[in-house]
Amino acid sequence: PASSSSSSSSLASSSSSSRVVASRGARSRRAVAAAADAATTSSRSTPSKRSSKQSSPSLPLPAPSHASHRAKVLDALPANKLVHVPAGREQTRNGVEGHARFRQEPSFLYLTGVEDPGYHALLRRDDDGGDGGDATTTPSRDRFVLVAPRRDVEHEVWCGAQPSAEALRARTGADAVFYDDEWSDALAAMGAREGETIFRPGHDLARDVVDDSSKATNNREASHQTHNSLLASLRVDRTALDRVLARARHVKTEDEIDCLRRANAVSGDAHAEVMRAAAIAAKSARGGVHEYELEAAFQAHCMREGLLHLGYPSIVGGGRNAATLHYERNDAFVAPRELILIDAGAEWRGYTADITRTFPVGGVFDAIRKDVYEAVLDVQCAAIDACRAGINWRAIGESAKVRTAQRLIDLGVIKRDRTAESAVAAGVVSLFLPHSLGHLLGLQVHDVGPGGPVPETLLEGQVVTCEPGIYFVDGLLGPAMEDATTRDFLDADVVATFRPVGGVRIEDNLVVTSDGVDNLTTCPKTVKDIEDIMRSV
């Protein structure tokens, strides 16, 4: 989904508004189409350089190396320091009605691969390969102990049996597995010493692990008191680990990229399936489709391919709803002529795709919608072509704003006697592109990095989204038309003509390389490719 950089109407395109486009926009369409053709030679439909890795059914499904992730984090911390990372907690639905679908805390998933709630990971790197701790610890330099929740019989009756300690050890590569009524043994296995520093995530400030463990152990007092006494003596550092995890996670390994590649391959196929479903519905007696039908088509395809979870709530907005950046109602009926914007991605091993496609429900772009669509495609392809390691991402974003302004000038939305640079400086382009160009992607849809989810200088191995758009947002355009400065840039009649378009966003997922990008997203995005696939049903 679009990330902020600062911050269901029916279509009514009359013959008079069409004449406005014809009289003022003929040159615009030619200019935008020519720019799109020039910019998209290499970017708009180029498949991933390594996409064959995902297409061969004989290859094993990708999985990240959590042991290498743990080593990467421990590399950046002082030796002989204890690290404690808790998993996420189950959340009840409305307090009493069962549990909401659980999604693991991303850094815990990064370090362990465990997808269930209530666990804890203890890590340490010994500078001498061991310090005489408990025999259950590994003689190797890095230690990893997993603490699992002890489930009672009632829990197993309702929710099923949990894996045995031995199964968990084999699955995760832990040196030892203890239950949460064995905290003192777990700490002893890690060689925990009174008064030493323990690194914990900053997000866990509100959690008292001692209280949690006492509840989980059903008040097994002896173990709890030993655990309480030792933990109380530890000096907790809640700042360093978050910085280390952000640095570790923002550049992806090949295994992680392959997980994102699979998420993209399946999600991209699901987007194509949604286009087909829309075309079929448009030809039916109903003459259109509900947004939620297309949301269901997307998720059904992903689940059939084994991707059981989406990375974020799907945005499926038709017509004017596409002007709402994070629209999630997904309940309107959309007519064939209208565009529908679908921002949706499934995850594999926790790594999520984040793909947006915009297309006409009936399978054919009309003139004004094609104009806006090709303007956005031109901006995206130029931005993709500019990406490579060592380039400032924010500078690419600023260039995309200038190019968007020029496309809006070509369309006549911004008056033709204005320059693109002046429109950007006056904040006019932000009325139509009110979000940044993209963000880091990985275990979170807006993934972590040293400076947050929006990178500064692109680094080889980072994965970013590239998602320009043009939207006609009433909440922005209304006040702009009342402001003397911004009103003077805009042609109100042309703005009114394009308003029924709603919005267009096109979003791909890019691996940064030394000489460009590896575009993981391969589903159709040119006007021709979209119309061809929808015509084929």
Side-chain angles (χ1 to χ4, degrees), residues 190-412:
M190 296 301 293
R193 301 177 294 274
E194 288 193 8
E196 74 168 301
T197 298
I198 183 170
F199 292 102
R200 298 185 68 217
H203 71 74
D204 200 49
L205 284 168
R207 179 184 297 180
D208 185 328
V209 180
V210 176
D211 285 350
D212 278 359
S213 66
S214 67
K215 295 171 186 175
T217 59
N218 197 22
N219 294 317
R220 295 176 176 88
E221 291 299 334
S223 176
H224 168 54
Q225 289 174 6
T226 303
H227 169 215
N228 186 13
S229 174
L230 182 53
L231 273 187
S233 75
L234 300 177
R235 298 193 304 257
V236 179
D237 184 314
R238 297 186 183 274
T239 58
L241 185 57
D242 284 340
R243 293 195 298 267
V244 168
L245 282 164
R247 291 193 189 98
R249 285 173 51 188
H250 82 120
V251 173
K252 305 299 187 283
T253 65
E254 284 296 318
D255 289 338
E256 291 179 289
I257 290 170
D258 284 342
C259 288
L260 286 163
R261 192 184 308 283
R262 174 160 173 75
N264 259 266
V266 174
S267 298
D269 288 345
H271 275 276
E273 187 66 23
V274 165
M275 293 176 189
R276 296 185 190 98
I280 291 170
K283 294 175 182 178
S284 72
R286 290 184 301 158
V289 68
H290 288 94
E291 294 162 344
Y292 56 74
E293 294 178 80
L294 301 184
E295 178 182 13
F298 181 90
Q299 188 161 5
H301 179 88
C302 293
M303 294 187 77
R304 280 194 297 268
E305 295 297 318
L307 277 65
L308 305 184
H309 305 295
L310 302 184
Y312 53 95
S314 296
I315 298 166
V316 186
R320 291 291 306 146
N321 293 334
T324 302
L325 300 182
H326 280 184
Y327 173 80
E328 293 178 10
R329 290 182 64 91
N330 301 354
D331 61 358
F333 187 80
V334 190
R337 187 181 184 185
E338 293 179 302
L339 293 180
I340 192 154
L341 184 156
I342 301 188
D343 187 335
E347 61 181 43
W348 175 253
R349 304 283 187 175
Y351 293 86
T352 185
D354 183 5
I355 302 171
T356 306
R357 289 295 183 261
T358 310
F359 57 89
V361 168
V364 178
F365 288 87
D366 66 13
I368 64 170
R369 290 164 181 79
K370 183 177 180 181
D371 286 347
V372 178
Y373 187 89
E374 290 194 325
V376 175
L377 182 60
D378 168 58
V379 173
Q380 194 211 34
C381 293
I384 291 174
D385 285 344
C387 291
R388 60 185 48 81
I391 301 297
N392 186 282
W393 176 246
R394 295 178 189 269
I396 297 174
E398 287 304 307
S399 295
K401 285 184 178 180
V402 173
R403 198 174 186 97
T404 299
Q406 185 58 55
R407 299 286 77 81
L408 290 167
I409 292 169
D410 294 339
L411 292 171

Side-chain angles (χ1 to χ4, degrees), residues 71-82:
K72 196 175 184 180
V73 169
L74 291 172
D75 282 344
L77 291 169
N80 274 326
K81 299 297 183 183
L82 192 59

Side-chain angles (χ1 to χ4, degrees), residues 11 52 74 107 130 135-136 152 183 196 210 221 223 257-258 281 328 380 382 385 417 429 441 475 488 490 504:
L11 292 176
S52 61
L74 291 172
S107 288
T136 59
D152 58 24
W183 262 104
E196 74 168 301
V210 176
E221 291 299 334
S223 176
I257 290 170
D258 284 342
E328 293 178 10
Q380 194 211 34
D385 285 344
D417 61 351
V429 74
L441 184 68
D488 197 41
L490 302 174
V504 171

Side-chain angles (χ1 to χ4, degrees), residues 1-3 326 343 354 356 376 380 393 433 435-439 445-446 465-469 471 504-509:
S3 58
H326 280 184
D343 187 335
D354 183 5
T356 306
V376 175
Q380 194 211 34
W393 176 246
L433 177 56
H435 58 76
S436 65
L437 182 62
H439 50 82
V445 67
H446 298 105
T465 66
C466 184
E467 49 182 309
Y471 315 87
V504 171
R505 180 163 68 249
I506 308 171
E507 180 179 18
D508 290 358
N509 304 166

Side-chain angles (χ1 to χ4, degrees), residues 408-424:
L408 290 167
I409 292 169
D410 294 339
L411 292 171
V413 173
I414 297 175
K415 294 176 181 176
R416 291 193 175 89
D417 61 351
R418 301 310 176 109
T419 66
E421 290 76 11
S422 67
V424 172

